[in-house]
Amino acid sequence: MTQKKVAVILSGCGVYDGAEIHESVITLLRLDQRGAKVQCFAPNIAQLHVINHLTGEEMPESRNVLVESARIARGDIKDIREAKVDDFDALIVPGGFGAAKNLSSFATEGDKCTVQADVLALAEAFAEAAKPVGLMCISPAIAAKIYGPGVTCTIGKDADTASAVTKMGAIHQECEVSEIVEDKARKLVSTPAYMLAHSISEAASGINKMVDRVLELTHEGD
């Protein structure tokens, strides 16, 4: 089998204002274990805000999403504007509030949200090319913005978030932390991760399945 190339979009560094670190690392680890070649990307923009992860309070400073994401990627990361769909077989977006604050405005605007232009352009390109996409935690909230009405996804069981996702035109399917939801027509795979997980092992149980399924889908034409 040929080595598959996967683009991963990060949204900063830290659950409250960026990419969820455990979700991101589990994703990168599983992709590596399965022999995939990975390139991380992030938008070169300012974070919505900076949160003190010890106290949960906002801090009076500014940070850059690409610079912060580089912490998780050990410096091996590129501006999302450099990402070309033709170079990759699949796309995965870890969660964390960064997905709802930096990659989109879902945290502040709910079902009226928009997706950051470069993120949307890349995700739409994967959708149009019928290449598999994996979303986890809160990142499936933007599925309807990528695929349009009728897309099936999960954020777990949170009623308020599921309601907003439904208002945006998606079909929300409740899901246990260890399971995945697949929209077969669109090759979209989602899993709740830390929307439900109480431990890193619980988060990994669903993320590993999601990564495995995304990679399986890339081999369908082989």
Side-chain angles (χ1 to χ4, degrees):
M1 288 193 297
T2 54
Q3 185 181 41
K4 296 300 180 177
K5 296 178 181 173
V6 180
V8 174
I9 301 178
L10 299 176
S11 58
C13 183
V15 56
Y16 300 123
D17 59 13
E20 214 296 321
I21 296 171
H22 292 180
E23 291 176 359
S24 302
V25 173
I26 291 164
T27 298
L28 296 172
L29 173 61
R30 189 61 170 183
L31 286 166
D32 189 60
Q33 287 172 336
R34 297 302 305 272
K37 183 172 172 50
V38 177
Q39 179 61 57
C40 292
F41 295 95
N44 187 9
I45 56 173
Q47 289 184 184
L48 173 68
H49 56 200
V50 179
I51 298 293
N52 178 327
H53 279 61
L54 193 60
T55 65
E57 293 172 2
E58 191 171 340
M59 298 171 71
E61 61 178 89
S62 168
R63 295 191 187 184
N64 178 283
V65 175
L66 179 58
V67 172
E68 291 301 296
S69 298
R71 293 172 178 271
I72 295 174
R74 295 173 59 85
D76 183 11
I77 193 167
K78 295 178 179 177
D79 187 327
I80 196 165
R81 290 181 180 179
E82 294 181 44
K84 294 180 178 62
V85 67
D86 294 344
D87 296 340
F88 297 95
D89 300 293
L91 172 70
I92 296 180
V93 187
F97 276 106
K101 291 178 176 179
N102 304 326
L103 303 186
S104 73
S105 60
F106 184 75
T108 51
E109 297 181 313
D111 61 281
K112 307 290 192 298
C113 73
T114 55
V115 180
Q116 197 274 338
D118 302 315
V119 173
L120 184 61
L122 183 63
E124 283 181 337
F126 274 88
E128 284 162 20
K131 292 184 175 182
V133 174
L135 302 176
M136 72 192 76
C137 190
I138 195 65
S139 70
I142 63 172
K145 297 292 183 182
I146 300 167
Y147 292 94
V151 63
T152 300
C153 61
T154 190
I155 50 82
K157 298 178 179 179
D158 184 73
D160 290 343
T161 309
S163 171
V165 168
T166 303
K167 278 183 189 163
M168 288 158 69
I171 298 164
H172 183 264
Q173 197 169 312
E174 286 204 351
C175 181
E176 298 297 334
V177 67
S178 60
E179 297 303 322
I180 59 175
V181 168
E182 181 178 348
D183 185 321
K184 288 188 164 57
R186 295 169 177 84
K187 295 188 180 175
L188 171 66
V189 188
S190 52
T191 190
Y194 273 106
M195 287 295 285
L196 287 179
H198 296 292
S199 69
I200 190 169
S201 297
E202 279 193 2
S205 64
I207 294 170
N208 288 343
K209 277 185 189 170
M210 188 266 279
V211 170
D212 290 352
R213 184 58 186 149
V214 166
L215 290 175
E216 278 174 15
L217 289 169
T218 68
H219 288 292
E220 280 195 335
D222 292 1

